[in-house]
C-alpha cells in the first residue's frame, strides 16, 4: 500500500494577512454564488450579548419551498431545537464570552427555479466569567470527588489506530459486522479508499455510487467513523499513463460525490484531498503541475463536504502555497473552527518517520513549525512507510506530541510497528493518539432540589490532540425519581488541548438525591452512545447511555 516519494522543493510565498475590525452587532455574510432566493432571511438574532443559560428564537423566511436547516459552529455552546414554522430555539451556555456563527442552509428546488442558498449570522454569548476557572493546584470550594486513571487504551470515537479498506468497482463493500469486530479492539476509525479507475473518462456509475453509500452505511452500523480518500490509480507502475483525469472531469466527479458526502456527514470523520496522482497522494501526477489547479480542486472539496468537516492535504507546503500563508498566519484559538477554508484544512503524513523530512513531507524548519502550530486545531494523521533512525521510540513519541496526531494506520509499515512493539512504545502510542481525557477531580456545591449547583471539573488531556469535530457537552442529572434533565456545560471540548483543562458550570437538580453525569455526545449522533466520548478513568463510562459518572448523592 505504501508509496515512497520525494517531493521537489517548493518556494514558499509570504503574504501578510490583513485584519478586519469588528462591530458590536450581529454580522451577516451572504454567499452570492450560492444565493438564488433573494427572500432567504433570518430574524430574531440578538444584537447584544446573550446571557449564559438563556435561549432565544430565530425565524427563517424564504420564497423557496426548499427545506431549511439551521446549525451552529459551536454546538457545545449553542444548541439548536426546531420549533416549527421555520422557527428555531437556540439555547446558550458558556464559561467565557464566545462568538457563535449560525448557518442557514436551503436545498435546491429546481421546480421553483431556485438553487441552493445559505446565509451566515453571528451573535455573542456572555460567559459566566473566566476568573472562576481554577488552576490545577488551586483550592476549590465544595465537596470534592477524585478519580483514578484507567490503564491502557480507552476506546473512544474519532481517534486511535485505524483499519484501511480499498473499494474498487469489482470489490465488495465493507460490512457492519467487520466494523463492529474491530471496534472492540479499539478501531473507531476506518480509512475508506475509493478507486475511480474505471470512470476516468466518464461519469461514476450508479452501481459504484451505491457501493460508496453501502460502505458509509456499514461504518454507521458498526459504530465507527470514516477517513475518506478518492483516487484513480492504486500503483505507480505505469507512469506513462494518466494518473488522474483532467481537472474538469474530476470536478464533475466531485459534484456526483457531493450528495453522498453531505448525506453521511454524521460518520465522515475527515476527507483526505486525494484525487491527484497515484494513490491520491498528490505526487505522481499527470495534469496538476499548476498550483492554481490544485487550489481549485481543494476549494471544490471544501464545498462538497459539510462546513463541520475538514479536509487534509498531503504536505504543509501545499496549504501555504495555495493560500499564500506564512508561519505567522497559522490558526490560533481565536480563528480555529470558524468554518473558514484555513480552519478546515488539516494534513496527513503518509511517510511518518521515514527520514529527516519524512520523504518530502517537510521542506525544512518553516514547514515543520507551521504544522506544529496548525495541528493544534486541525486534524493530523497518516501512516509510516519504512524503518529508519527517525522512527525510534523517543523521536516518535516527541513527533506525535509535536504534531498532535489523532490517527495512525495499524497495517503499514509493519516493520515500523514491530519496532515500536519490541522497543516498548506501541501501547503508549495507541493510548495517546487523539485525545485522552482524564478527570482529576470534581467539586460541587450543596445539592438542593430546584436550586442552582455550581460544578467545577478539572481534567488533564494526556493525548496528543484535542477532540477535533463538533461535540456537545452536557451535565446530566438523573434524579432519585428516575427523571433525567440536561444542562449545557458551556464550553467546547475542541478547546481541551493536551495538558490541564478546567470548566466551571451550573446545573439545577430536580431532586435532592440522584446522580450527575458528563455527556460528551456527537451532535449528529446524539442518540447513539457509541459516539460519545469515554473519559479515561476507571469505572466511569456507561456504554449503554454514553454517560460518564461524576458523582452520586444517596
Amino acid at each position: 500500500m505504501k508509496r515512497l516519494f520525494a517531493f521537489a522543493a517548493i518556494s514558499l510565498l509570504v503574504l501578510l494577512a490583513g485584519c478586519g475590525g469588528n462591530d458590536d452587532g450581529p454580522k451577516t455574510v451572504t454567499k452570492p454564488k450560492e444565493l438564488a432566493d433573494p427572500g432567504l432571511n433570518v430574524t430574531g438574532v440578538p444584537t447584544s450579548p446573550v446571557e449564559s443559560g438563556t435561549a432565544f428564537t430565530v425565524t427563517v423566511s424564504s420564497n423557496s419551498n426548499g427545506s431549511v436547516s439551521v446549525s451552529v459552529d459551536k454546538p457545545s455552546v449553542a444548541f439548536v431545537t426546531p420549533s416549527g414554522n421555520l422557527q428555531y430555539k437556540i439555547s446558550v451556555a458558556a464559561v467565557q464570552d464566545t462568538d457563535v456563527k449560525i448557518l442557514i442552509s436551503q436545498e435546491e428546488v429546481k421546480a421553483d427555479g431556485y438553487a441552493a442558498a445559505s446565509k451566515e449570522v453571528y451573535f455573542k454569548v456572555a460567559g459566566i466569567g473566566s476568573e472562576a476557572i481554577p488552576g490545577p493546584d488551586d483550592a476549590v470550594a465544595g465537596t470534592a470527588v477524585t478519580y483514578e486513571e484507567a490503564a491502557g487504551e480507552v476506546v473512544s470515537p474519532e481517534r486511535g489506530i485505524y483499519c484501511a479498506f480499498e473499494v474498487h468497482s469489482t470489490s465488495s463493500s465493507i460490512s457492519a459486522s467487520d466494523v463492529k469486530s474491530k471496534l472492540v479492539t479499539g478501531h473507531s476509525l476506518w480509512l475508506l479508499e475509493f478507486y475511480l479507475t474505471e470512470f476516468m473518462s466518464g461519469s461514476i456509475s450508479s452501481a459504484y455510487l451505491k457501493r460508496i453509500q453501502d460502505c458509509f452505511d456499514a461504518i454507521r452500523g458498526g459504530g465507527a467513523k470514516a477517513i475518506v480518500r478518492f483516487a484513480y490509480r492504486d500503483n505507480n507502475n505505469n507512469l506513462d499513463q494518466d494518473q488522474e483525469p483532467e481537472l474538469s472531469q474530476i470536478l464533475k466527479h466531485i459534484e456526483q460525490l457531493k450528495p453522498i458526502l453531505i448525506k453521511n456527514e454524521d460518520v465522515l470523520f475527515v476527507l483526505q484531498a486525494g484525487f491527484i496522482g497515484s494513490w491520491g497522494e498528490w505526487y505522481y501526477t499527470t495534469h496538476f503541475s499548476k498550483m492554481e489547479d490544485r487550489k481549485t480542486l481543494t476549494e471544490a472539496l471544501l464545498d462538497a463536504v459539510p462546513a463541520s468537516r475538514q479536509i487534509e492535504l498531503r504536505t504543509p507546503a501545499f496549504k501555504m502555497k495555495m493560500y499564500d500563508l506564512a508561519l505567522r498566519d497559522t490558526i490560533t484559538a481565536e480563528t480555529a473552527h470558524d468554518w473558514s477554508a484555513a480552519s478546515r484544512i488539516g494534513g496527513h503524513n503518509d511517510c511518518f518517520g521515514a527520514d529527516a523530512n519524512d520523504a518530502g513531507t517537510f521542506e525544512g524548519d518553516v514547514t515543520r513549525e507551521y504544522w506544529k502550530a496548525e495541528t493544534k486545531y486541525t486534524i493530523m494523521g497518516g501512516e509510516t512507510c519504512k524503518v529508519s533512525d527517525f522512527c525510534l521510540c523517543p523521536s516518535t513519541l516527541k513527533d506525535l506530541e509535536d504534531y498532535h496526531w489523532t490517527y495512525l494506520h495499524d497495517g503499514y509499515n509493519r516493520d515500523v510497528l514491530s519496532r515500536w512493539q519490541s522497543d516498548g512504545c506501541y501501547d503508549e502510542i495507541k493510548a495517546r493518539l487523539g485525545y485522552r481525557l482524564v478527570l482529576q477531580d470534581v467539586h460541587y456545591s450543596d445539592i438542593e432540589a430546584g436550586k442552582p449547583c455550581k460544578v467545577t471539573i478539572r481534567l488533564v488531556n494526556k493525548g496528543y490532540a484535542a477532540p477535533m469535530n463538533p461535540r456537545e457537552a452536557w451535565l446530566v442529572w438523573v434524579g432519585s425519581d428516575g427523571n433525567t434533565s440536561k444542562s449545557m456545560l458551556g464550553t467546547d471540548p475542541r478547546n481541551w488541548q493536551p495538558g490541564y483543562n478546567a470548566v466551571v458550570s451550573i446545573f439545577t437538580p430536580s431532586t435532592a438525591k440522584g446522580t450527575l453525569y458528563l455527556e460528551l455526545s456527537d451532535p449528529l449522533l446524539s442518540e447513539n452512545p457509541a459516539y460519545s466520548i469515554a473519559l479515561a478513568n476507571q469505572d466511569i463510562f456507561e456504554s449503554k447511555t454514553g454517560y460518564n459518572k461524576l458523582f452520586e448523592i444517596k
Side-chain angles (χ1 to χ4, degrees):
M1 174 181 173
K2 176 36 50 198
R3 293 66 72 184
L4 199 56
F5 55 85
F7 283 104
I10 299 176
S11 299
L12 300 179
L13 302 178
V14 178
L15 177 65
L16 181 61
C19 298
N22 295 321
D23 54 40
D24 294 330
K27 298 171 282 297
T28 301
V29 179
T30 304
K31 301 178 180 179
K33 69 175 183 179
E34 297 178 356
L35 183 58
D37 176 6
L40 181 63
N41 194 27
V42 58
T43 58
V45 181
T47 57
S48 57
V50 183
E51 183 180 351
S52 186
T54 63
F56 62 91
T57 298
V58 298
T59 302
V60 179
S61 58
S62 169
N63 296 331
S64 170
N65 290 318
S67 62
V68 172
S69 64
V70 175
S71 59
V72 293
D73 66 335
K74 298 179 177 68
S76 58
V77 172
F79 187 72
V80 181
T81 305
S83 303
N85 298 321
L86 294 181
Q87 291 188 323
Y88 299 84
K89 179 182 177 181
I90 301 180
S91 305
V92 302
V95 174
Q96 298 177 329
D97 291 353
T98 306
D99 291 316
V100 179
K101 184 187 301 184
I102 307 174
L103 175 65
I104 299 94
S105 301
Q106 185 177 56
E107 289 187 347
E108 176 184 23
V109 180
K110 293 183 179 179
D112 292 346
Y114 289 124
S118 65
K119 201 177 194 72
E120 295 174 1
V121 292
Y122 300 76
F123 69 94
K124 182 185 288 291
V125 181
I128 64 174
S130 59
E131 69 277 2
I133 304 301
D137 300 317
D138 291 346
V140 180
T143 302
V145 184
T146 58
Y147 308 86
E148 294 294 327
E149 182 176 356
E153 182 181 18
V154 174
V155 180
S156 204
E158 299 188 329
R159 57 151 304 278
I161 298 291
Y162 72 85
C163 297
F165 187 81
E166 295 185 2
V167 184
H168 298 265
S169 61
T170 57
S171 64
S172 59
S173 302
I174 193 174
S175 69
S177 60
D178 293 332
V179 178
K180 287 180 180 177
S181 66
K182 285 292 188 178
L183 186 62
V184 297
T185 61
H187 296 76
S188 68
L189 290 171
W190 285 69
L191 171 64
L192 300 180
E193 297 176 284
F194 296 106
Y195 284 98
L196 309 175
T197 312
E198 284 75 15
F199 314 112
M200 289 179 64
S201 60
S203 299
I204 304 171
S205 69
S206 57
Y208 192 78
L209 292 173
K210 182 181 182 302
R211 186 163 292 135
I212 295 173
Q213 182 57 54
D214 289 344
C215 288
F216 277 114
D217 290 342
I219 291 291
R220 184 180 296 105
K225 293 277 186 112
I227 307 157
V228 174
R229 184 195 300 180
F230 296 94
Y232 295 93
R233 300 290 187 188
D234 63 358
N235 63 76
N236 61 352
N237 297 332
N238 298 293
L239 293 178
D240 57 324
Q241 299 178 357
D242 284 359
Q243 296 303 295
E244 74 283 305
E246 293 184 356
L247 174 61
S248 58
Q249 180 64 40
I250 295 179
L251 293 178
K252 292 178 182 177
H253 286 167
I254 292 174
E255 280 300 310
Q256 283 188 274
L257 295 167
K258 180 177 179 178
I260 297 177
L261 294 172
I262 292 175
K263 177 181 179 180
N264 295 286
E265 175 184 6
D266 58 342
V267 292
L268 174 64
F269 176 57
V270 68
L271 176 68
Q272 295 182 350
F275 288 99
I276 299 174
S278 311
W279 303 284
E281 285 206 352
W282 280 47
Y283 182 61
Y284 296 107
T285 177
T286 306
H287 298 292
F288 284 83
S289 59
K290 297 180 179 178
M291 194 61 64
E292 62 194 66
D293 289 341
R294 295 177 188 253
K295 184 177 181 181
T296 298
L297 174 63
T298 299
E299 296 286 336
L301 293 175
L302 287 169
D303 178 69
V305 298
S308 68
R309 294 301 183 256
Q310 299 181 25
I311 68 170
E312 292 178 307
L313 299 178
R314 180 59 186 84
T315 75
F318 284 129
K319 181 176 180 179
M320 297 176 76
K321 192 170 183 65
M322 286 191 298
Y323 290 91
D324 292 330
L325 300 172
L327 184 57
R328 61 176 169 268
D329 301 316
T330 55
I331 298 168
T332 65
E334 289 72 30
T335 59
H337 310 301
D338 66 357
W339 292 348
S340 65
S343 72
R344 296 176 58 210
I345 297 177
H348 66 103
N349 181 352
D350 283 359
C351 235
F352 175 55
D355 55 36
N357 282 310
D358 287 356
T361 299
F362 300 104
E363 297 172 11
D365 291 342
V366 172
T367 53
R368 279 191 173 276
E369 293 303 315
Y370 187 85
W371 252 6
K372 286 179 183 179
E374 288 269 298
T375 53
K376 288 181 67 176
Y377 310 105
T378 60
I379 299 171
M380 168 57 66
E383 65 183 6
T384 61
C385 66
K386 70 172 185 177
V387 173
S388 77
D389 290 340
F390 295 88
C391 62
L392 296 170
C393 276
S395 59
T396 293
L397 294 174
K398 185 178 186 304
D399 283 345
L400 291 170
E401 286 185 352
D402 287 348
Y403 297 98
H404 307 97
W405 276 68
T406 288
Y407 66 86
L408 187 68
H409 190 194
D410 75 340
Y412 199 86
N413 177 290
R414 293 192 180 278
D415 291 337
V416 176
L417 301 178
S418 296
R419 168 185 273 188
W420 291 344
Q421 290 169 341
S422 61
D423 289 354
C425 65
Y426 187 64
D427 287 344
E428 179 179 346
I429 291 171
K430 288 178 63 179
R432 296 183 63 195
L433 282 167
Y435 58 86
R436 179 180 175 85
L437 305 179
V438 183
L439 274 180
Q440 175 179 306
D441 54 39
V442 168
H443 293 75
Y444 62 93
S445 59
D446 293 340
I447 301 289
E448 297 183 49
K451 292 188 177 181
C453 173
K454 179 179 177 181
V455 179
T456 302
I457 299 172
R458 297 195 287 194
L459 59 85
V460 178
N461 183 353
K462 295 188 177 182
Y464 299 131
M468 282 293 165
N469 282 336
R471 192 153 290 274
E472 296 172 356
W474 300 96
L475 290 175
V476 182
W477 178 256
V478 179
S480 55
D481 57 2
N483 292 324
T484 298
S485 59
K486 293 186 177 183
S487 303
M488 295 181 69
L489 187 64
T491 191
D492 191 337
R494 292 177 297 182
N495 294 330
W496 293 346
Q497 293 292 333
Y500 173 78
N501 297 270
V503 59
V504 178
S505 191
I506 295 174
F507 79 102
T508 302
S510 57
T511 56
K513 295 181 179 180
T515 304
L516 185 68
Y517 299 90
L518 176 63
E519 181 187 19
L520 302 170
S521 55
D522 189 313
L524 299 177
L525 294 159
S526 57
E527 300 303 315
N528 189 335
Y531 293 98
S532 291
I533 287 178
L535 299 180
N537 293 90
Q538 294 179 15
D539 304 321
I540 191 172
F541 184 70
E542 296 185 356
S543 60
K544 290 184 178 180
T545 61
Y547 298 166
N548 295 277
K549 183 178 179 180
L550 300 183
F551 60 81
E552 181 178 5
I553 305 295
K554 297 183 179 180

